[in-house]
Amino acid sequence: MKPTLDVIQYSKTAHAAVRAAAEQEHDFGGWLADVLARAAADLGSTDALTAGRPGSWEAGLVQRLVKGTVGWDDEYLADYRSTP
């Protein structure tokens, strides 16, 4: 399946943001965990981040990173919401 123009564009934007953060952030892992936690909070759960491929090894690693930040049962997820 060929990626759509939207996927290509947000992938380019994400790549630029991640590269800039990797070059500038003292704690890149902490920054990435925070960004993913905020996205999960806005989506309503950590599971929403990996809903497309929940059993993949990539999803497992994303879940470990985010749940390590917001709690294994999403108990601190609300602390990361960017919208009221």
Side-chain angles (χ1 to χ4, degrees):
M1 178 182 252
K2 193 172 183 180
T4 66
L5 290 178
D6 287 343
V7 172
I8 292 168
Q9 186 55 49
Y10 70 68
S11 293
K12 285 181 180 180
T13 302
H15 172 261
V18 168
R19 181 174 173 179
E23 293 172 348
Q24 298 176 32
E25 288 291 329
H26 171 72
D27 178 13
F28 176 77
W31 172 85
L32 184 59
D34 182 73
V35 168
L36 292 173
R38 291 179 186 286
D42 290 346
L43 292 169
S45 73
T46 54
D47 292 336
L49 293 175
T50 57
R53 291 187 56 219
S56 69
W57 67 267
E58 298 96 337
L61 293 174
V62 169
Q63 288 292 321
R64 285 182 59 195
L65 177 61
V66 180
K67 287 183 181 290
T69 303
V70 303
W72 295 102
D73 294 317
D74 287 356
E75 57 265 28
Y76 304 108
L77 188 65
D79 297 343
Y80 290 87
R81 287 195 65 194
S82 60
T83 57

Coordinates of all heavy atoms in Angstrom, one line a residue:
M1 N 0.8 -1.2 0.0 CA 0.0 0.0 0.0 C 0.9 1.2 0.0 O 1.8 1.4 0.8 CB -0.9 0.0 1.2 CG -1.8 1.2 1.3 SD -2.8 1.1 2.8 CE -4.4 0.8 2.1
K2 N 0.6 2.1 -0.9 CA 1.4 3.4 -1.1 C 0.9 4.4 0.0 O -0.3 4.6 0.1 CB 1.2 3.9 -2.5 CG 2.2 4.9 -2.9 CD 2.0 5.3 -4.4 CE 3.0 6.3 -4.8 NZ 2.9 6.6 -6.2
P3 N 1.8 5.1 0.7 CA 1.4 6.1 1.6 C 0.7 7.3 0.9 O 1.1 7.7 -0.2 CB 2.7 6.6 2.3 CG 3.8 5.9 1.6 CD 3.3 5.0 0.6
T4 N -0.2 7.9 1.6 CA -0.9 9.0 1.1 C -0.1 10.3 1.3 O 0.9 10.3 2.1 CB -2.3 9.3 1.8 OG1 -2.0 9.6 3.2 CG2 -3.2 8.0 1.7
L5 N -0.4 11.4 0.7 CA 0.3 12.6 0.8 C 0.3 13.1 2.3 O 1.2 13.6 2.8 CB -0.2 13.7 -0.1 CG 0.1 13.4 -1.6 CD1 -0.5 14.5 -2.5 CD2 1.6 13.3 -1.9
D6 N -0.9 12.9 3.0 CA -1.0 13.3 4.4 C 0.0 12.5 5.2 O 0.7 13.1 6.1 CB -2.4 13.0 4.9 CG -3.4 14.0 4.4 OD1 -3.0 15.1 3.9 OD2 -4.6 13.7 4.5
V7 N 0.2 11.2 5.0 CA 1.1 10.4 5.7 C 2.5 10.9 5.5 O 3.4 11.0 6.4 CB 1.0 8.9 5.4 CG1 2.1 8.1 6.1 CG2 -0.4 8.4 5.9
I8 N 2.8 11.1 4.2 CA 4.2 11.6 3.9 C 4.5 12.9 4.5 O 5.6 13.1 5.1 CB 4.3 11.7 2.3 CG1 4.3 10.3 1.7 CG2 5.6 12.4 1.9 CD1 4.1 10.3 0.2
Q9 N 3.5 13.8 4.5 CA 3.7 15.1 5.1 C 3.9 15.1 6.6 O 4.9 15.6 7.2 CB 2.6 16.1 4.8 CG 2.9 17.5 5.3 CD 4.2 18.1 4.7 OE1 4.5 18.0 3.6 NE2 5.0 18.6 5.6
Y10 N 3.0 14.3 7.4 CA 3.2 14.3 8.8 C 4.4 13.5 9.2 O 5.1 13.8 10.2 CB 2.0 14.0 9.6 CG 1.4 12.5 9.5 CD1 2.1 11.5 10.1 CD2 0.2 12.3 8.9 CE1 1.6 10.2 10.0 CE2 -0.3 11.0 8.9 CZ 0.4 10.0 9.4 OH -0.1 8.7 9.4
S11 N 4.8 12.5 8.4 CA 6.0 11.8 8.7 C 7.3 12.7 8.5 O 8.2 12.6 9.3 CB 6.2 10.6 7.7 OG 5.1 9.6 8.0
K12 N 7.3 13.5 7.5 CA 8.4 14.5 7.3 C 8.4 15.5 8.5 O 9.5 15.8 9.0 CB 8.2 15.3 6.0 CG 8.6 14.5 4.8 CD 8.4 15.3 3.5 CE 8.7 14.5 2.3 NZ 8.6 15.3 1.0
T13 N 7.3 16.0 8.9 CA 7.2 16.9 10.0 C 7.7 16.2 11.3 O 8.5 16.8 12.1 CB 5.8 17.4 10.2 OG1 5.4 18.1 9.0 CG2 5.7 18.4 11.3
A14 N 7.2 15.0 11.5 CA 7.7 14.3 12.7 C 9.2 14.0 12.7 O 9.8 14.1 13.7 CB 6.9 13.0 12.8
H15 N 9.7 13.6 11.6 CA 11.1 13.4 11.4 C 11.9 14.6 11.8 O 12.9 14.5 12.5 CB 11.4 12.9 10.0 CG 12.9 12.8 9.7 ND1 13.6 13.8 9.1 CD2 13.8 11.8 10.0 CE1 14.9 13.4 9.0 NE2 15.0 12.2 9.6
A16 N 11.5 15.7 11.3 CA 12.2 17.0 11.6 C 12.2 17.3 13.1 O 13.2 17.7 13.6 CB 11.6 18.1 10.8
A17 N 11.0 17.1 13.7 CA 10.9 17.4 15.1 C 11.7 16.4 16.0 O 12.4 16.9 16.9 CB 9.4 17.3 15.6
V18 N 11.7 15.2 15.6 CA 12.5 14.2 16.4 C 14.0 14.4 16.2 O 14.8 14.4 17.2 CB 12.1 12.7 16.0 CG1 13.1 11.7 16.5 CG2 10.7 12.4 16.4
R19 N 14.4 14.7 15.0 CA 15.8 15.0 14.8 C 16.3 16.2 15.5 O 17.3 16.2 16.2 CB 16.1 15.2 13.3 CG 17.5 15.5 13.0 CD 17.9 15.5 11.6 NE 19.3 16.0 11.5 CZ 19.9 16.1 10.4 NH1 19.3 15.9 9.2 NH2 21.1 16.5 10.3
A20 N 15.5 17.3 15.5 CA 15.8 18.5 16.2 C 15.9 18.2 17.7 O 16.8 18.7 18.4 CB 14.8 19.6 16.0
A21 N 15.0 17.5 18.2 CA 15.0 17.1 19.7 C 16.2 16.3 20.0 O 16.8 16.5 21.1 CB 13.7 16.4 20.1
A22 N 16.5 15.3 19.2 CA 17.7 14.5 19.4 C 19.0 15.3 19.5 O 19.9 15.0 20.2 CB 17.8 13.4 18.4
E23 N 19.0 16.3 18.7 CA 20.2 17.2 18.7 C 20.2 18.2 19.8 O 21.3 18.6 20.3 CB 20.3 18.0 17.4 CG 20.5 17.1 16.1 CD 20.4 17.8 14.8 OE1 19.9 19.0 14.8 OE2 20.7 17.2 13.8
Q24 N 19.1 18.5 20.4 CA 19.0 19.6 21.4 C 18.6 19.2 22.8 O 19.0 19.8 23.7 CB 18.1 20.7 20.9 CG 18.5 21.3 19.6 CD 17.5 22.3 19.1 OE1 16.8 23.0 19.8 NE2 17.5 22.5 17.8
E25 N 17.9 18.1 22.9 CA 17.4 17.7 24.2 C 18.5 17.0 25.0 O 19.1 16.0 24.5 CB 16.2 16.8 24.1 CG 14.9 17.5 23.6 CD 14.4 18.4 24.7 OE1 14.5 18.2 25.9 OE2 13.7 19.4 24.3
H26 N 18.7 17.4 26.2 CA 19.6 16.7 27.1 C 19.1 15.3 27.4 O 19.9 14.3 27.5 CB 19.8 17.5 28.4 CG 20.6 16.8 29.5 ND1 21.9 16.6 29.3 CD2 20.2 16.2 30.6 CE1 22.3 15.9 30.4 NE2 21.3 15.6 31.2
D27 N 17.8 15.2 27.7 CA 17.1 13.9 28.0 C 16.2 13.5 26.9 O 15.0 13.7 27.0 CB 16.4 14.0 29.3 CG 15.7 12.7 29.7 OD1 15.9 11.7 29.1 OD2 14.9 12.8 30.7
F28 N 16.7 13.1 25.7 CA 15.8 12.8 24.6 C 14.8 11.7 24.9 O 13.6 11.9 24.5 CB 16.7 12.3 23.4 CG 15.8 11.9 22.2 CD1 15.2 12.9 21.4 CD2 15.6 10.6 21.9 CE1 14.4 12.5 20.3 CE2 14.8 10.2 20.9 CZ 14.2 11.2 20.1
G29 N 15.1 10.7 25.6 CA 14.2 9.7 26.0 C 13.0 10.2 26.8 O 11.8 9.9 26.6
G30 N 13.3 11.1 27.8 CA 12.3 11.7 28.6 C 11.4 12.6 27.8 O 10.2 12.6 28.0
W31 N 12.0 13.3 26.9 CA 11.2 14.2 26.0 C 10.3 13.4 25.1 O 9.1 13.7 25.0 CB 12.2 15.0 25.1 CG 11.4 15.8 24.0 CD1 10.9 17.0 24.1 CD2 11.2 15.3 22.7 NE1 10.3 17.4 22.9 CE2 10.4 16.4 22.0 CE3 11.5 14.2 21.9 CZ2 10.0 16.3 20.7 CZ3 11.1 14.1 20.6 CH2 10.3 15.1 20.0
L32 N 10.8 12.3 24.5 CA 10.0 11.4 23.7 C 8.8 10.8 24.5 O 7.7 10.8 24.1 CB 10.8 10.4 23.0 CG 10.1 9.4 22.0 CD1 9.5 10.3 20.9 CD2 11.0 8.4 21.5
A33 N 9.1 10.3 25.7 CA 8.1 9.8 26.6 C 7.0 10.8 26.9 O 5.8 10.5 26.8 CB 8.7 9.2 27.9
D34 N 7.4 12.0 27.1 CA 6.5 13.1 27.4 C 5.6 13.4 26.2 O 4.4 13.5 26.4 CB 7.2 14.3 27.9 CG 6.3 15.5 28.3 OD1 5.6 15.4 29.3 OD2 6.1 16.4 27.5
V35 N 6.2 13.5 25.0 CA 5.4 13.7 23.8 C 4.4 12.6 23.6 O 3.2 12.9 23.3 CB 6.3 13.9 22.6 CG1 5.6 13.9 21.3 CG2 7.1 15.2 22.7
L36 N 4.8 11.4 23.7 CA 3.9 10.3 23.5 C 2.8 10.2 24.5 O 1.7 9.9 24.3 CB 4.7 8.9 23.4 CG 5.6 8.8 22.2 CD1 6.4 7.5 22.4 CD2 4.8 8.7 20.9
A37 N 3.2 10.5 25.8 CA 2.2 10.5 26.9 C 1.1 11.6 26.6 O -0.1 11.4 26.8 CB 2.9 10.8 28.2
R38 N 1.5 12.8 26.1 CA 0.6 13.8 25.8 C -0.3 13.4 24.7 O -1.5 13.7 24.7 CB 1.3 15.1 25.5 CG 2.0 15.7 26.8 CD 2.7 17.0 26.5 NE 3.5 17.4 27.7 CZ 2.9 17.9 28.8 NH1 1.6 18.1 28.8 NH2 3.6 18.2 29.8
A39 N 0.2 12.8 23.7 CA -0.6 12.3 22.6 C -1.6 11.3 23.1 O -2.8 11.3 22.7 CB 0.3 11.7 21.4
A40 N -1.1 10.3 23.9 CA -2.0 9.3 24.4 C -3.1 9.9 25.3 O -4.3 9.5 25.2 CB -1.2 8.3 25.3
A41 N -2.8 10.9 26.1 CA -3.8 11.6 26.9 C -4.9 12.2 26.1 O -6.0 12.1 26.4 CB -3.1 12.6 27.8
D42 N -4.4 12.9 25.0 CA -5.4 13.5 24.1 C -6.3 12.5 23.4 O -7.4 12.8 23.1 CB -4.7 14.4 23.1 CG -4.1 15.7 23.8 OD1 -4.4 16.0 24.9 OD2 -3.3 16.3 23.1
L43 N -5.7 11.3 23.1 CA -6.5 10.3 22.5 C -7.4 9.5 23.4 O -8.2 8.7 23.0 CB -5.5 9.3 21.7 CG -4.8 9.9 20.5 CD1 -3.7 9.0 20.1 CD2 -5.8 10.2 19.4
G44 N -7.1 9.6 24.7 CA -7.9 8.9 25.7 C -7.3 7.7 26.4 O -7.8 7.2 27.4
S45 N -6.2 7.1 25.9 CA -5.6 6.0 26.5 C -4.2 5.7 25.8 O -4.0 6.1 24.7 CB -6.4 4.7 26.4 OG -6.4 4.2 25.1
T46 N -3.4 5.0 26.5 CA -2.1 4.6 25.9 C -2.3 3.6 24.8 O -1.6 3.5 23.8 CB -1.1 4.0 27.0 OG1 -1.8 3.0 27.7 CG2 -0.7 5.1 28.0
D47 N -3.4 2.8 25.0 CA -3.7 1.8 24.0 C -4.0 2.4 22.6 O -3.8 1.8 21.6 CB -4.8 0.8 24.4 CG -4.4 0.0 25.6 OD1 -3.2 -0.3 25.8 OD2 -5.3 -0.5 26.4
A48 N -4.5 3.6 22.6 CA -4.9 4.3 21.4 C -3.7 4.5 20.5 O -3.8 4.6 19.3 CB -5.6 5.6 21.7
L49 N -2.5 4.6 21.1 CA -1.3 4.9 20.3 C -1.0 3.7 19.4 O -0.4 3.8 18.4 CB -0.1 5.2 21.2 CG -0.2 6.5 22.0 CD1 1.0 6.5 22.9 CD2 -0.2 7.7 21.1
T50 N -1.3 2.5 19.9 CA -0.9 1.3 19.1 C -2.1 0.4 18.7 O -1.9 -0.8 18.4 CB 0.0 0.4 20.0 OG1 -0.7 0.1 21.3 CG2 1.3 1.2 20.4
A51 N -3.2 1.0 18.6 CA -4.4 0.3 18.2 C -4.3 -0.4 16.9 O -5.0 -1.4 16.6 CB -5.7 1.2 18.3
G52 N -3.6 0.2 16.0 CA -3.5 -0.4 14.6 C -2.7 -1.7 14.6 O -3.0 -2.5 13.7
R53 N -1.8 -1.9 15.5 CA -1.0 -3.1 15.5 C -0.6 -3.4 17.0 O 0.5 -3.4 17.4 CB 0.3 -2.9 14.7 CG 0.1 -2.8 13.2 CD 1.3 -2.9 12.4 NE 2.2 -4.0 12.6 CZ 3.5 -4.0 12.7 NH1 4.1 -2.8 12.6 NH2 4.2 -5.1 12.9
P54 N -1.6 -3.8 17.8 CA -1.4 -3.9 19.2 C -0.4 -5.1 19.6 O 0.1 -5.0 20.7 CB -2.8 -4.2 19.8 CG -3.6 -4.7 18.6 CD -3.0 -4.0 17.4
G55 N -0.3 -6.1 18.8 CA 0.6 -7.2 19.2 C 2.0 -7.1 18.6 O 2.8 -8.0 18.9
S56 N 2.3 -6.1 17.9 CA 3.6 -6.0 17.3 C 4.7 -5.7 18.3 O 4.4 -5.1 19.4 CB 3.6 -4.9 16.2 OG 3.5 -3.6 16.8
W57 N 6.0 -6.0 18.0 CA 7.0 -5.7 18.9 C 7.2 -4.2 19.1 O 7.5 -3.7 20.2 CB 8.3 -6.4 18.5 CG 8.9 -5.8 17.2 CD1 8.7 -6.3 16.0 CD2 9.8 -4.7 17.1 NE1 9.4 -5.6 15.0 CE2 10.1 -4.6 15.7 CE3 10.4 -3.9 18.0 CZ2 11.0 -3.6 15.2 CZ3 11.3 -2.9 17.5 CH2 11.5 -2.8 16.1
E58 N 6.9 -3.4 18.0 CA 7.0 -2.0 18.1 C 6.0 -1.4 19.1 O 6.3 -0.6 19.9 CB 6.8 -1.3 16.7 CG 7.8 -1.7 15.7 CD 7.4 -2.8 14.8 OE1 6.5 -3.6 15.1 OE2 7.9 -2.9 13.6
A59 N 4.8 -1.9 19.0 CA 3.7 -1.5 19.9 C 4.1 -1.8 21.3 O 3.9 -1.0 22.2 CB 2.4 -2.2 19.5
G60 N 4.7 -3.0 21.5 CA 5.1 -3.4 22.9 C 6.1 -2.4 23.5 O 6.0 -2.0 24.7
L61 N 7.1 -2.0 22.7 CA 8.1 -1.0 23.2 C 7.4 0.4 23.4 O 7.8 1.1 24.4 CB 9.2 -0.9 22.2 CG 10.1 -2.2 22.1 CD1 11.1 -2.0 21.0 CD2 10.7 -2.5 23.4
V62 N 6.5 0.8 22.5 CA 5.8 2.1 22.7 C 5.1 2.0 24.0 O 5.1 3.0 24.8 CB 4.9 2.4 21.5 CG1 4.0 3.6 21.8 CG2 5.8 2.7 20.3
Q63 N 4.3 0.9 24.2 CA 3.5 0.8 25.4 C 4.4 0.8 26.7 O 4.1 1.5 27.7 CB 2.7 -0.5 25.4 CG 1.6 -0.5 24.4 CD 0.5 0.4 24.9 OE1 0.2 0.6 26.0 NE2 -0.1 1.1 23.9
R64 N 5.6 0.2 26.7 CA 6.5 0.2 27.8 C 6.9 1.6 28.1 O 7.0 2.0 29.3 CB 7.7 -0.7 27.6 CG 7.3 -2.2 27.7 CD 8.5 -3.1 27.5 NE 9.5 -2.8 28.5 CZ 10.8 -3.2 28.4 NH1 11.2 -4.0 27.4 NH2 11.7 -2.9 29.3
L65 N 7.3 2.3 27.1 CA 7.8 3.7 27.3 C 6.7 4.6 27.9 O 6.9 5.3 28.9 CB 8.3 4.3 26.0 CG 8.8 5.7 26.0 CD1 9.9 5.9 27.0 CD2 9.2 6.2 24.6
V66 N 5.5 4.6 27.2 CA 4.4 5.5 27.7 C 3.8 5.0 29.0 O 3.6 5.9 29.9 CB 3.3 5.6 26.6 CG1 2.2 6.5 27.0 CG2 3.9 6.0 25.3
K67 N 3.6 3.8 29.2 CA 3.0 3.3 30.5 C 4.0 3.5 31.6 O 3.6 3.7 32.8 CB 2.6 1.9 30.4 CG 1.3 1.7 29.6 CD 0.8 0.3 29.6 CE -0.5 0.2 28.7 NZ -1.6 0.8 29.3
G68 N 5.3 3.5 31.3 CA 6.3 3.8 32.3 C 6.2 5.2 32.8 O 6.7 5.6 33.9
T69 N 5.7 6.1 31.9 CA 5.5 7.5 32.2 C 4.2 7.8 32.9 O 4.1 8.6 33.8 CB 5.6 8.3 30.9 OG1 6.9 8.0 30.3 CG2 5.5 9.8 31.1
V70 N 3.1 7.2 32.4 CA 1.7 7.6 32.9 C 1.1 6.5 33.8 O 0.0 6.7 34.2 CB 0.8 7.8 31.7 CG1 1.3 8.9 30.8 CG2 0.5 6.6 30.9
G71 N 1.9 5.5 34.0 CA 1.4 4.4 34.9 C 0.8 3.2 34.1 O 0.3 3.4 33.0
W72 N 1.0 2.0 34.6 CA 0.6 0.8 33.9 C -0.9 0.7 33.6 O -1.3 0.0 32.8 CB 1.2 -0.4 34.6 CG 2.7 -0.3 34.5 CD1 3.6 0.0 35.5 CD2 3.5 -0.6 33.3 NE1 4.9 0.0 35.0 CE2 4.9 -0.3 33.7 CE3 3.3 -1.0 32.0 CZ2 5.9 -0.5 32.8 CZ3 4.3 -1.1 31.2 CH2 5.6 -0.9 31.6
D73 N -1.7 1.4 34.5 CA -3.1 1.4 34.3 C -3.6 2.8 33.8 O -4.7 3.2 34.1 CB -3.8 1.0 35.6 CG -3.6 -0.5 35.9 OD1 -3.6 -1.3 35.0 OD2 -3.3 -0.8 37.1
D74 N -2.7 3.6 33.3 CA -3.0 5.0 32.8 C -3.4 5.9 33.9 O -4.1 6.9 33.7 CB -4.1 5.0 31.7 CG -3.5 4.4 30.4 OD1 -2.3 4.1 30.2 OD2 -4.3 4.4 29.4
E75 N -3.0 5.5 35.2 CA -3.5 6.3 36.3 C -3.1 7.8 36.3 O -3.7 8.6 36.9 CB -3.2 5.6 37.6 CG -1.7 5.4 37.9 CD -1.3 4.0 37.4 OE1 -1.9 3.4 36.5 OE2 -0.3 3.5 38.0
Y76 N -2.0 8.1 35.7 CA -1.6 9.5 35.6 C -1.7 10.1 34.2 O -1.2 11.2 33.9 CB -0.1 9.6 36.0 CG 0.2 9.0 37.4 CD1 0.8 7.8 37.6 CD2 -0.3 9.7 38.5 CE1 1.0 7.3 38.8 CE2 -0.2 9.1 39.8 CZ 0.5 7.9 39.9 OH 0.7 7.4 41.2
L77 N -2.5 9.4 33.4 CA -2.6 9.9 32.0 C -3.3 11.3 31.9 O -2.9 12.1 31.1 CB -3.5 8.9 31.2 CG -3.6 9.1 29.7 CD1 -2.3 9.0 29.0 CD2 -4.6 8.2 29.1
A78 N -4.3 11.5 32.8 CA -5.0 12.8 32.8 C -4.0 14.0 33.0 O -4.3 15.1 32.5 CB -6.1 12.8 33.8
D79 N -2.9 13.8 33.7 CA -1.9 14.8 34.0 C -1.2 15.3 32.7 O -0.6 16.4 32.8 CB -0.8 14.3 35.0 CG -1.4 14.0 36.3 OD1 -2.5 14.4 36.7 OD2 -0.7 13.3 37.1
Y80 N -1.3 14.6 31.7 CA -0.6 14.9 30.4 C -1.6 15.5 29.4 O -1.1 15.8 28.3 CB 0.1 13.7 29.9 CG 1.3 13.3 30.7 CD1 1.1 12.5 31.8 CD2 2.5 13.8 30.5 CE1 2.2 12.1 32.6 CE2 3.6 13.5 31.3 CZ 3.4 12.6 32.4 OH 4.5 12.3 33.1
R81 N -2.8 15.6 29.7 CA -3.8 16.2 28.7 C -3.4 17.6 28.3 O -3.1 18.4 29.1 CB -5.2 16.1 29.2 CG -5.7 14.7 29.2 CD -7.2 14.7 29.4 NE -7.8 15.3 28.2 CZ -9.1 15.6 28.2 NH1 -9.9 15.4 29.2 NH2 -9.6 16.1 27.1
S82 N -3.4 17.9 27.0 CA -3.2 19.2 26.6 C -4.4 20.0 26.3 O -4.4 21.2 26.0 CB -2.3 19.2 25.3 OG -2.9 18.5 24.3
T83 N -5.6 19.3 26.3 CA -6.8 20.0 26.1 C -7.7 19.8 27.3 O -7.6 18.8 28.0 CB -7.6 19.3 24.9 OG1 -7.7 17.9 25.1 CG2 -6.8 19.6 23.6
P84 N -8.5 20.8 27.6 CA -9.3 20.8 28.9 C -10.4 19.8 28.8 O -10.8 19.3 27.8 CB -9.8 22.2 29.0 CG -9.5 22.9 27.8 CD -8.6 22.1 27.0

